[in-house]
Amino acid sequence: MLTIFATPKAFRGHIDVIQRNAIKSWTLLSINPEIILFGDDEGTPEVAREFGLQHIPAVARSDSGAPLVNDLFAQAERLSRNNLLCYANADILLLSDFASAVQRIAQLHYPLLMVGQRTDVNITARIDRTRPDWEQDLRRQAQTLGTLRPPNAIDYFVFTKGLGSNLLPLALGRRGWDNWFLWHARSQRAAVIDASREVLALHQNHDYSHHPAGSKGVFAGPEAQRNRELIGEWYHLHTTEDATHRLTPRGLARRYLHPWLVVKRAWSHPRGMVLLVFKLLSRPFRRGSPPT
């Protein structure tokens, strides 16, 4: 049903703990996903063997070593046994509600991208999954101590095969690539589904010691600047607020946009200006229908 792929950082110290927590959570999903770990950073081959996962050591990288989105996604699409793929950052815990959401969208028969906001939590130790209430405990921690991040904070992307082709050579883990990918999906006339209300995606907080310049290097360094140059116009940066649909307990609901987002989307897809005016003046879409 689903192939999850990721490029972990070196398995050292706290990063080792939270990445093992995340990857283990993926292996426990009821949908039994295929999981592929890319890259040759310290510990990645060993963790892949430990969890019985596929490991692909070679992935194209920027001059400073960041994986490139176009090569990573193209390899994942070529290797995947499934029509649905999910890129997830290797520090993201995915729980039973994620599996449920994937099962629901797997019934749809048009190009789609499902994303959602993340919730930040502080986790410093291995999660004890011998306890029957380990998932409930994580949910309680998220509810009481977690921080829901804004609509541009997206750490997982479930998409139909084909949307990962012909991408820009953006540096993964640097600012902008994730928001551009949402715009790319819309440019391919895919439905973009916001699952924030149905999926609790837990981001385990960490520092940025993996980059020589720390957080400044990640968010404002040369690779981040290069990403911004490649992305181009400001309206190529989308967030969950730009989603065409929202996942609800009853299925997909058409998402109606704030006037500002209507203008933004029209700028994003010039031919859509006339369509948007027509849609705003016509009756609402039937719930669950794909976007045009």
Side-chain angles (χ1 to χ4, degrees):
M1 176 180 291
L2 180 72
T3 297
I4 300 177
F5 64 101
T7 54
K9 301 177 181 68
F11 285 81
R12 301 190 198 111
H14 182 232
I15 293 293
D16 174 67
V17 170
I18 65 176
Q19 290 189 147
R20 286 175 179 274
N21 283 342
I23 294 167
K24 182 64 176 179
S25 76
W26 307 346
T27 69
L28 296 176
L29 293 171
S30 61
I31 53 177
N32 190 29
E34 174 187 33
I35 302 174
I36 308 174
L37 300 185
F38 285 87
D40 56 0
D41 288 277
E42 178 184 338
T44 299
E46 292 77 12
V47 169
R49 285 196 296 271
E50 177 183 339
F51 287 104
L53 311 178
Q54 187 174 357
H55 173 234
I56 306 298
V59 59
R61 295 179 181 270
S62 68
D63 292 341
S64 63
L68 296 181
V69 171
N70 60 332
D71 183 63
L72 174 64
F73 278 57
Q75 286 200 66
E77 288 210 345
R78 185 170 65 252
L79 295 168
S80 173
R81 300 195 302 262
N82 301 293
N83 187 52
L84 274 181
L85 294 91
C86 172
Y87 169 78
N89 286 339
D91 52 19
I92 294 295
L93 293 160
L94 299 175
L95 306 175
S96 57
D97 51 9
F98 173 81
S100 176
V102 169
Q103 288 177 311
R104 293 159 67 187
I105 66 169
Q107 309 304 313
L108 305 176
H109 301 291
Y110 45 80
L112 61 85
L113 167 64
M114 184 180 79
V115 294
Q117 293 167 247
R118 77 185 198 212
T119 297
D120 288 354
V121 290
N122 289 321
I123 295 178
T124 58
R126 295 277 187 93
I127 296 171
D128 181 6
R129 291 182 174 83
T130 63
R131 296 173 49 191
D133 63 342
W134 67 268
E135 180 172 329
Q136 290 74 15
D137 184 60
L138 283 174
R139 292 184 180 280
R140 286 192 293 269
Q141 181 177 348
Q143 184 176 16
T144 57
L145 300 174
T147 302
L148 179 65
R149 301 301 295 165
N152 65 336
I154 309 162
D155 279 17
Y156 72 88
F157 306 79
V158 180
F159 59 96
T160 47
K161 186 176 286 188
L163 290 181
S165 301
N166 302 314
L167 305 183
L168 293 176
L170 301 172
L172 193 77
R174 306 298 183 262
R175 177 168 290 178
W177 84 266
D178 43 1
N179 304 117
W180 176 85
F181 188 54
L182 270 67
W183 173 85
H184 170 78
R186 287 296 299 126
S187 74
Q188 301 300 305
R189 302 186 66 185
V192 176
I193 302 167
D194 179 7
S196 300
R197 296 185 181 182
E198 296 295 301
V199 174
L200 177 64
L202 294 178
H203 170 258
Q204 302 167 93
N205 290 328
H206 57 82
D207 62 24
Y208 291 91
S209 59
H210 62 279
H211 193 287
S215 60
K216 183 177 180 180
V218 170
F219 296 109
E223 290 169 324
Q225 294 176 28
R226 177 58 177 162
N227 276 5
R228 192 66 192 85
E229 293 172 359
L230 289 170
I231 288 168
E233 302 292 350
W234 60 271
Y235 48 76
H236 291 171
L237 296 172
H238 281 204
T239 73
T240 58
E241 291 184 326
D242 293 284
T244 60
H245 293 76
R246 179 181 287 117
L247 190 64
T248 75
R250 293 180 293 176
L252 288 189
R254 182 76 191 189
R255 180 164 190 169
Y256 295 98
L257 302 178
H258 184 280
W260 158 244
L261 292 171
V262 172
V263 173
K264 178 182 176 182
R265 183 176 292 177
W267 272 102
S268 299
H269 311 286
R271 79 172 190 88
M273 178 67 81
V274 174
L275 290 175
L276 281 168
V277 172
F278 173 77
K279 290 172 184 176
L280 289 171
L281 296 176
S282 63
R283 66 181 182 178
F285 276 86
R286 179 171 56 86
R287 177 168 291 176
S289 62
T292 57

